[in-house]
Amino acid sequence: MRSLAAPSLAALLVASLSAPAGEPPREPILRIETGMHISAIWRIGVDRSGSLLATVSDDKTLRLWELPSGRPLKVLRPPIGDEREGNLRAVALSPDGGTVVAGGEAGASWDGTNSVYVFSTATGELLRRITGFSDAIRHLAYSPDGRHLVVCLGGKSGIRLFDARDWRQLGDDRDYGDTSNGASFSWMGRLVTTSYDGSVRLYDVAAGTLRLIKNSEDGELPSEWAEEPLGVAFSPDGKRIAVGFDTTKTVAVLSAEDLSLKVDVDESGIEGRLGRVAWSSDGESLYAGGSWSRDGVTQIRAWSRGGKGSRRDVAAATNTIMDLRPLPASGIVFGAGDPAFGIIDKEGIRTLYVPPRTADHRDESVFSVSPNGLTVQFRYSPALEPHRFTVATRTIHLGREPVLSAPVVTGLDVQGWRNGRSPKLGGILLKLGDAERSHSLSVAQDRSRFLLGTSKALRLFDSSGRETWKRASEGVVWAVNIAPDGRLGVAAYGDGTIRWHRMSDGQELLALFPHNDRKRWVLFTPSGYYDSSPGGEDLIGWHVNNGKDRAADFFPASRFRDRFYRPDVIDLVLKTLDEREAVRQANAATQRKEQSTAVAQILPPVINILSPADGTEISSATLTVRYSLRSQKPITTMRVLVDGRPVSAERGAGVRIGEVGETRELAVTVPERDSTVTVVAESESGAGVPASIQLKWKGRAVEGDAVLKPKLYVLAVGVGKYRDPGFNLTYPAKDARDFVEAVSLQKGALYREVVTRVLTDEGATKDDVLDGLDWVRKQTTSRDVAMVFIAGHGVNDDTGSYFFLPHNADPEKLLRTAVGFGDIKTTVANIAGKALFFVDTCHAGNVMGRRGVTDINAVVNELSGAENGVVVFSSSTGRQTSLEDAAWENGAFTKALVEGLRGKADLLGKGKITINTLDAYVGERVKELTKGKQAPATVKPPNVPDFPVAVRF
């Protein structure tokens, strides 16, 4: 036995003073944000109540989730840097759920040592950093009473034990021969750890020190099992220890007294490794998971009677099970490499599954490109048919395209490149970095060079094996393809992106992130210029570090829409092969001035709701919201929304809020039902990221006749006849009338009254439309619903601004004769009740000379932002045209919309048509009517819940 003493205060001071002083980069960093991790979930943590889940990933984020619903709560962002700086591999929640700790490869770039970050789960505030770790943090674990925290380190650095009340180091063990990847505490004051040096170590920590009791290297474990022990867990009674291994399918159950073998579990049928283990909360079931899969689905095995009884296999995910944690009501929660997480209940049923939002590019055989590289074919997942994306038209199509070229992997004698550590060319080793593995290959058609995609980089070699250039990556390069014309190299990455690189030097020019819902996408340049589908622009944004001792901020791309939404730049960047030149040409074409102000100087306000907490139960309609606020510039407006609709606004606040957040309060009246409260701060830099909380109503339920049905106010505008007959369309006026007829049937059903105003053709001048917008805004109260429907021509002027063309419009005098987007936005964003906007204005026609197709995406994205709270139904996406046909006697969009409202969108058979079911029906029906030529889009703000818009008769 030996006691492992805490280091002296002097030693800690010397270590601290010797560390190089530095700060994280202050320049904003462009990141992908999907609401879910974009790379493997390495570790998870659960609080004692089983209501809070924490997950971490190499995507450099720590995320908090509500259990058992899986609803996202917060994204916590430590400071990050280039390449691997900021990768998170370890996380632990305090038993009471009040704090969460995370670490990985974090802080070494500026501190010289790695850090463990301690966050408040309630506010997201970074409470402190624990520093001084010479190697990366691989695992973190709290003791059951929350008093102790153990930190497991990479390399041969061993473990550290801390007092979790004041973060004093209580002891350490540095006598490790390799990385320590697992740790678990018992209620009896014991700690067990695992290490790749082949050992399991048992400690006593009851006295607040770290005392080694037993090391399995003494011979208790069979030698064939002592290969890279990985996961480890004490049973709830503290008498048994389960161990999983990274190199075998074995699961060992050991005595917590002396590490002797207690149970030989049934391993039959397992083909793979079971590195992660967990016990059920009652100790009855033992679970293990890892890389073992069946028919492409990763399995978790459960044994009854603590490993002695019968076995059950549960289909969990599509990638490696990275971590397991017990839940108090029995069952477990798992994290996987997809990335995904879910819950397996005590009956072996998967009751929750939160899937990945990224495309899975591991099948390089389908990764094909057009001769110029502007069309790329890929899979969203192995189970789906390939899809194609074309940069020029911004369209996604299902199915293979035979004229596209798959990667060439012959012609040069490249060997061992597929999942290999030592690829060769003609027997000559191609040098890679430490622990770097190659995964993908593409040989140029003239055989003069080849691209190699690896776990850490994209590399170009010439035909002799000399490396021409290297571009480091944060994740795996799963597939590569050199376009046949030789100008571009296209690569598919582990974060779900597809990126275009200049072949001459590897410079990245453009990236595509296709969301796994197969609807949303965003195209963006390294500097952040972007184009996107409806609902897709906030799939990217800017991470902004606030120093090494504060949590970072994140600003979605929509906060800088005026500057960075540049479809014209995206059009040019792959043609010019130079982002700066593309910007110059695009600015010259529209006489737009180049903006030189740095992003960091125009950041919008940052607001954080401190109380009540997200998910709070309330029984009073009046509550006080406490929030903190930071801003570079004076606050001009504070707005409060409930379920996406405005309830108050304070204008002209003019208060300058500095870098340190100021705490304020406001009173909010909420409805007597579950609701979402959103607070938005605006400055001259624009609206900040809305802060939202969900509230659960637990007061007296209002039922029966006491529930007053809302009124529905409808403004429908349809213009098919113009003063210039060259613009005429056939069905917009009929579309408007048919829409009103369909929703009017809801009088006395979902709505107590339906009040309509229909403006068509000659009766839809600019003044008429503006009067109609003013009418619907003034009439709709907070208890009502408003629908605005417009059909006809919409155009973008030379600056990209959107206009709806009324009957008397003159495309040469848009400001004077057309209805600007600003007028539409002002109306629908300020409607007091629920607001729905239906837009069918992307009809073909040479309305604006060279530009006859309207790009509606920016309109949809702006209106559906959380600060505006408008549900938008758009007839088409991107640069598609909206089709009409005599066979339908409508536009395709309106025909599908009317059918859905009349009952066909009751997809769940519950008698109600909601936003979500109407979206699903209209989307599929329009594709069916147009044979895939038109794809509508619906975008619902994140702070607006799904709600019924009609009932089925």
Side-chain angles (χ1 to χ4, degrees):
M1 310 287 181
R2 56 191 172 97
S3 178
L4 306 169
S8 69
L9 178 60
L12 290 175
L13 288 174
V14 169
S16 175
L17 292 172
S18 64
E23 287 292 331
R26 296 304 298 264
E27 187 69 20
I29 302 170
L30 194 61
R31 306 292 294 175
I32 296 168
E33 178 52 58
T34 69
M36 175 59 164
H37 293 292
I38 59 171
S39 60
I41 294 175
W42 277 93
R43 296 289 186 271
I44 62 176
V46 181
D47 68 342
R48 185 187 298 127
S49 69
S51 60
L52 186 62
L53 171 72
T55 58
V56 291
S57 167
D58 279 348
D59 66 10
K60 307 183 182 183
T61 64
L62 161 59
R63 295 174 187 265
L64 300 178
W65 312 82
E66 180 186 74
L67 292 180
S69 68
R71 181 172 68 90
L73 298 175
K74 283 185 174 68
V75 183
L76 307 180
R77 301 178 188 273
I80 67 172
D82 295 335
E83 298 184 17
R84 305 183 70 83
E85 173 58 62
N87 286 0
L88 298 179
R89 293 287 182 96
V91 69
L93 269 166
S94 63
D96 64 5
T99 59
V100 60
V101 294
E105 298 171 277
S109 296
W110 45 83
D111 269 348
T113 62
N114 289 286
S115 298
V116 171
Y117 297 103
V118 184
F119 288 93
S120 163
T121 60
T123 66
E125 179 186 3
L126 178 55
L127 301 175
R128 71 177 299 137
R129 289 183 306 126
I130 309 172
T131 62
F133 303 107
S134 58
D135 280 287
I137 288 86
R138 295 301 183 189
H139 192 77
L140 295 163
Y142 272 101
S143 61
D145 59 9
R147 293 181 59 184
H148 297 139
L149 177 77
V150 65
V151 181
C152 300
L153 301 172
K156 300 179 181 181
S157 296
I159 65 170
R160 310 286 186 271
L161 182 70
F162 290 87
D163 187 319
R165 296 167 296 184
D166 57 14
W167 305 110
R168 288 180 301 116
Q169 185 172 315
L170 301 174
D172 62 21
D173 186 351
R174 300 169 189 256
D175 189 20
Y176 276 60
D178 208 331
T179 295
S180 177
N181 276 312
S184 177
F185 287 93
S186 79
W187 284 99
M188 304 168 68
R190 296 285 178 92
L191 168 68
V192 64
T193 66
T194 60
S195 172
Y196 275 168
D197 65 11
S199 66
V200 178
R201 293 169 170 84
L202 183 64
Y203 301 89
D204 179 15
V205 297
T209 58
L210 190 65
R211 184 173 64 89
L212 182 66
I213 298 173
K214 190 73 173 179
N215 187 331
S216 66
E217 288 182 339
D218 297 338
E220 276 71 18
L221 287 179
S223 59
E224 65 269 19
W225 287 9
E227 297 182 11
E228 298 190 348
L230 186 63
V232 63
F234 268 108
S235 62
D237 61 8
K239 297 180 179 180
R240 295 160 293 170
I241 298 171
V243 182
F245 297 82
D246 201 23
T247 52
T248 73
K249 64 181 180 180
T250 298
V251 174
V253 179
L254 311 177
S255 165
E257 291 295 324
D258 58 8
L259 300 183
S260 61
L261 182 65
K262 288 182 70 74
V263 179
D264 187 8
V265 301
D266 183 357
E267 303 165 1
S268 59
I270 297 174
E271 296 293 336
R273 297 166 293 171
L274 296 178
R276 294 297 171 184
V277 293
W279 300 86
S280 61
S281 58
D282 59 7
E284 167 62 20
S285 297
L286 173 63
Y287 297 88
S291 62
W292 170 44
S293 66
R294 182 185 295 149
D295 298 326
V297 180
T298 311
Q299 306 288 310
I300 292 176
R301 174 159 287 189
W303 294 271
S304 64
R305 297 176 55 214
K308 298 178 182 179
S310 60
R311 69 177 193 269
R312 175 193 288 136
D313 298 333
V314 181
T318 61
N319 210 319
T320 302
I321 303 300
M322 305 296 289
D323 208 358
L324 299 170
R325 288 287 182 270
L327 293 172
S330 291
I332 56 166
V333 59
F334 65 86
D338 305 61
F341 67 85
I343 292 175
I344 307 295
D345 71 9
K346 62 182 179 180
E347 304 300 327
I349 299 171
R350 192 178 71 180
T351 58
L352 172 70
Y353 182 63
V354 177
R357 314 283 169 83
T358 54
D360 185 342
H361 295 306
R362 286 177 293 173
D363 184 0
E364 79 280 355
S365 66
V366 303
F367 191 65
S368 303
V369 299
S370 60
N372 62 5
L374 299 189
T375 295
V376 60
Q377 177 177 277
F378 63 96
R379 287 191 197 274
Y380 282 99
S381 73
L384 294 175
E385 283 292 307
H387 285 68
R388 308 183 310 281
F389 184 90
T390 301
V391 174
T393 60
R394 315 290 206 269
T395 53
I396 296 178
H397 293 290
L398 173 66
R400 292 178 181 268
E401 175 56 65
V403 300
L404 300 181
S405 300
V408 176
V409 296
T410 58
L412 292 175
D413 186 22
V414 185
Q415 308 161 3
W417 59 269
R418 194 185 301 274
N419 302 323
R421 292 188 183 274
S422 304
K424 298 177 181 179
L425 175 65
I428 300 174
L429 186 67
L430 301 172
K431 187 176 180 180
L432 303 181
D434 293 340
E436 187 174 2
R437 186 187 294 268
S438 65
H439 290 282
S440 51
L441 171 70
S442 179
V443 178
Q445 292 201 345
D446 63 3
R447 311 301 187 255
S448 64
R449 51 191 175 168
F450 62 94
L451 278 175
L452 197 67
T454 77
S455 56
K456 296 183 177 181
L458 177 66
R459 298 172 181 267
L460 180 70
F461 296 87
D462 66 19
S463 58
S464 68
R466 181 180 64 87
E467 185 173 276
T468 305
W469 51 255
K470 167 193 169 185
R471 289 288 172 177
S473 67
E474 290 185 1
V476 179
V477 185
W478 287 121
V480 292
N481 201 327
I482 299 175
D485 69 5
R487 298 168 70 244
L488 295 167
V490 192
Y493 288 80
D495 63 5
T497 59
I498 296 170
R499 300 177 187 253
W500 285 262
H501 295 263
R502 190 165 59 202
M503 282 298 293
S504 60
D505 59 3
Q507 175 62 47
E508 181 184 320
L509 299 170
L510 187 65
L512 166 69
F513 181 84
H515 194 284
N516 205 19
D517 63 10
R518 289 168 280 162
K519 295 180 180 179
R520 288 177 287 165
W521 53 263
V522 60
L523 274 169
F524 57 99
T525 69
S527 297
Y529 298 108
Y530 71 93
D531 190 8
S532 75
S533 66
E537 67 178 341
D538 284 348
L539 293 172
I540 59 169
W542 298 96
H543 173 109
V544 179
N545 292 322
N546 291 311
K548 58 187 177 183
D549 292 311
R550 287 171 53 192
D553 294 319
F554 184 81
F555 300 94
S558 60
R559 303 304 97 182
F560 310 98
R561 185 184 294 114
D562 290 346
R563 169 175 291 199
F564 288 107
Y565 179 69
R566 297 295 302 271
D568 52 348
V569 172
I570 301 300
D571 285 337
L572 292 168
V573 69
L574 295 185
K575 296 177 183 178
T576 62
L577 297 184
D578 185 277
E579 181 186 14
R580 183 168 295 184
E581 176 61 18
V583 173
R584 189 196 68 77
Q585 291 187 21
N587 287 344
T590 59
Q591 298 183 343
R592 181 169 177 163
K593 292 183 178 180
E594 184 175 353
Q595 295 173 303
S596 58
T597 307
V599 172
Q601 296 174 338
I602 56 170
L603 298 177
V606 176
I607 192 166
N608 184 28
I609 296 177
L610 304 176
S611 68
D614 196 356
T616 295
E617 296 181 351
I618 61 171
S619 56
S620 172
T622 302
L623 72 152
T624 299
V625 175
R626 291 181 60 250
Y627 63 93
S628 65
L629 184 61
R630 289 185 283 115
S631 181
Q632 294 176 335
K633 299 180 179 180
I635 302 298
T636 57
T637 306
M638 289 292 301
R639 285 193 288 160
V640 181
L641 302 92
V642 174
D643 290 339
R645 305 316 307 144
V647 296
S648 69
E650 177 189 350
R651 298 189 180 276
V655 179
R656 176 70 174 269
I657 309 295
E659 286 192 357
V660 178
E662 179 178 313
T663 300
R664 294 180 169 191
E665 293 183 353
L666 54 84
V668 180
T669 300
V670 298
E672 296 180 351
R673 53 174 168 77
D674 293 354
S675 59
T676 299
V677 173
T678 301
V679 184
V680 185
E682 295 184 22
S683 72
E684 60 185 77
S685 295
V689 181
S692 295
I693 54 170
Q694 288 191 13
L695 302 172
K696 299 177 181 179
W697 180 255
K698 291 298 180 181
R700 182 178 60 87
V702 181
E703 300 177 352
D705 295 337
V707 179
L708 184 64
K709 291 180 180 179
K711 281 186 178 181
L712 173 63
Y713 291 91
V714 182
L715 172 66
V717 182
V719 182
K721 293 182 180 179
Y722 291 87
R723 284 185 177 175
D724 184 341
F727 301 160
N728 284 355
L729 298 165
T730 305
Y731 294 110
K734 183 175 184 295
D735 286 345
R737 291 191 293 268
D738 289 352
F739 176 80
V740 167
E741 181 182 347
V743 295
S744 295
L745 296 174
Q746 296 297 317
K747 180 179 181 179
L750 187 62
Y751 309 102
R752 73 177 188 273
E753 190 173 348
V754 178
V755 185
T756 66
R757 179 175 288 191
V758 184
L759 307 175
T760 61
D761 294 338
E762 293 87 349
T765 65
K766 177 177 180 178
D767 288 345
D768 294 325
V769 175
L770 291 177
D771 287 344
L773 291 170
D774 192 46
W775 168 80
V776 75
R777 180 184 62 82
K778 290 179 177 178
Q779 292 296 313
T780 308
T781 73
S782 60
R783 298 181 299 274
D784 301 327
V785 178
M787 296 181 181
V788 176
F789 175 99
I790 63 172
H793 278 304
V795 299
N796 297 93
D797 68 9
D798 288 340
T799 68
S801 299
Y802 172 86
F803 292 85
F804 173 68
L805 301 189
H807 169 72
N808 60 332
D810 181 349
E812 300 301 321
K813 301 174 181 178
L814 289 175
L815 286 175
R816 186 158 59 85
T817 65
V819 179
F821 171 63
D823 293 316
I824 297 172
K825 175 186 172 182
T826 298
T827 296
V828 296
N830 289 287
I831 288 172
K834 295 183 175 72
L836 294 88
F837 183 53
F838 302 87
V839 54
D840 187 0
T841 63
C842 296
H843 296 284
N846 194 23
V847 178
M848 291 293 288
R850 63 182 176 82
R851 184 164 186 172
V853 177
T854 302
D855 185 347
I856 196 68
N857 289 355
V859 172
V860 176
N861 284 329
E862 185 162 353
L863 284 179
S864 60
E867 67 273 22
N868 293 320
V870 181
V871 180
V872 183
F873 286 78
S874 173
S875 62
S876 58
T877 59
R879 299 175 181 182
Q880 295 175 337
T881 55
S882 296
L883 304 178
E884 55 181 17
D885 196 293
W888 314 323
E889 295 186 343
N890 281 118
F893 174 67
T894 301
K895 179 174 177 59
L897 191 59
V898 168
E899 288 178 354
L901 290 169
R902 287 178 177 270
K904 289 189 176 180
D906 179 22
L907 302 179
L908 302 178
K910 296 184 177 181
K912 291 185 178 181
I913 292 97
T914 70
I915 297 295
N916 290 346
T917 61
L918 186 60
D919 168 34
Y921 177 80
V922 171
E924 291 304 314
R925 181 61 170 144
V926 169
K927 290 179 185 177
E928 177 186 356
L929 290 169
T930 63
K931 296 180 173 55
K933 295 179 181 178
Q934 182 178 333
T938 301
V939 183
K940 181 170 67 64
N943 55 338
V944 174
D946 189 26
F947 60 89
V949 294
V951 295
R952 181 174 185 172
F953 297 102

